[in-house]
Amino acid sequence: MKTSAGFPKAARLLKTDEFSSVFSLRPWRRSLHFVLYMRQREAPGPDGDRARLGVVVGRRHAPHAVTRNLIKRAARDLFRLRQSGLAGWDLVLRLQRRFEPTEFRAASSAALKTACRAELASLFEAAAARAARGTAPAEAGGPPSKSSTPPTRPD
């Protein structure tokens, strides 16, 4: 079966409730500038078991539209290359920290592109490894408990 490296609508998180269901979990992985949330879907969607990506890049952390578009374009590109290894997962990538203007002078400099792609590549590699193991990240309520029975009080 031939897999496409495109980024069709079926590979995107579009609705607020789709984003909310992933954001309700704890952040799975952090880098210097980004946070990655992952959620394994229980049932395949209408387009099968395809991985889906949502990208959140706010004006607060990337004031220039050029920078926001650069980050989203890099995230979509790296996701396209790894989406076959992430089948059945929803991912949300959020920019959490501003790229320092003193370090990255231009909004679309080569240094910014390189730094952004390096961080995103490491996040998506880790996500693909997690998806290959098939383990879901812990829920937002805290780490998973070791037993299903509640702890007892000593007498």
Side-chain angles (χ1 to χ4, degrees), residues 57 122 153:
V57 182
S122 69
R153 255 177 47 192

Side-chain angles (χ1 to χ4, degrees), residues 72-145:
K72 290 187 274 189
R73 199 168 33 251
R76 288 191 304 260
D77 185 42
L78 291 168
F79 176 76
R80 270 188 227 117
L81 298 174
R82 291 164 179 82
Q83 69 183 352
S84 62
L86 295 167
W89 291 81
D90 288 342
L91 288 83
V92 173
L93 180 73
R94 181 174 62 89
L95 180 66
Q96 74 168 356
R97 184 174 295 150
R98 182 181 206 150
F99 283 95
E100 289 300 319
T102 55
E103 188 178 348
F104 304 103
R105 292 261 184 233
S108 65
S109 66
L112 178 61
K113 288 178 188 175
T114 304
C116 182
R117 286 185 70 84
E119 277 189 55
L120 293 173
S122 69
L123 287 172
F124 284 127
E125 285 296 323
R130 169 62 69 99
R133 288 194 306 266
T135 56
E139 296 293 325
S145 62

Side-chain angles (χ1 to χ4, degrees), residues 7-14 47 50-52:
F7 193 62
K9 220 172 195 178
R12 303 175 197 173
L13 294 176
L14 299 172
D47 289 324
R50 169 175 276 181
R52 298 186 304 170

Side-chain angles (χ1 to χ4, degrees), residues 9-74:
K9 220 172 195 178
R12 303 175 197 173
L13 294 176
L14 299 172
K15 298 178 182 172
T16 303
D17 61 334
E18 294 172 343
F19 276 87
S20 296
S21 68
V22 181
F23 272 134
S24 67
L25 303 175
R26 287 189 311 199
W28 179 72
R29 181 67 55 117
R30 294 180 186 268
S31 68
L32 183 61
H33 296 99
F34 297 100
V35 177
L36 181 67
Y37 298 84
M38 287 181 70
R39 179 180 155 269
Q40 191 170 21
R41 289 195 309 266
E42 292 83 27
D47 289 324
D49 210 19
R50 169 175 276 181
R52 298 186 304 170
L53 175 70
V55 182
V56 179
V57 182
R59 205 175 312 154
R60 176 182 177 194
H61 299 300
H64 301 286
V66 174
T67 306
R68 291 193 301 274
N69 292 335
L70 180 144
I71 292 168
K72 290 187 274 189
R73 199 168 33 251

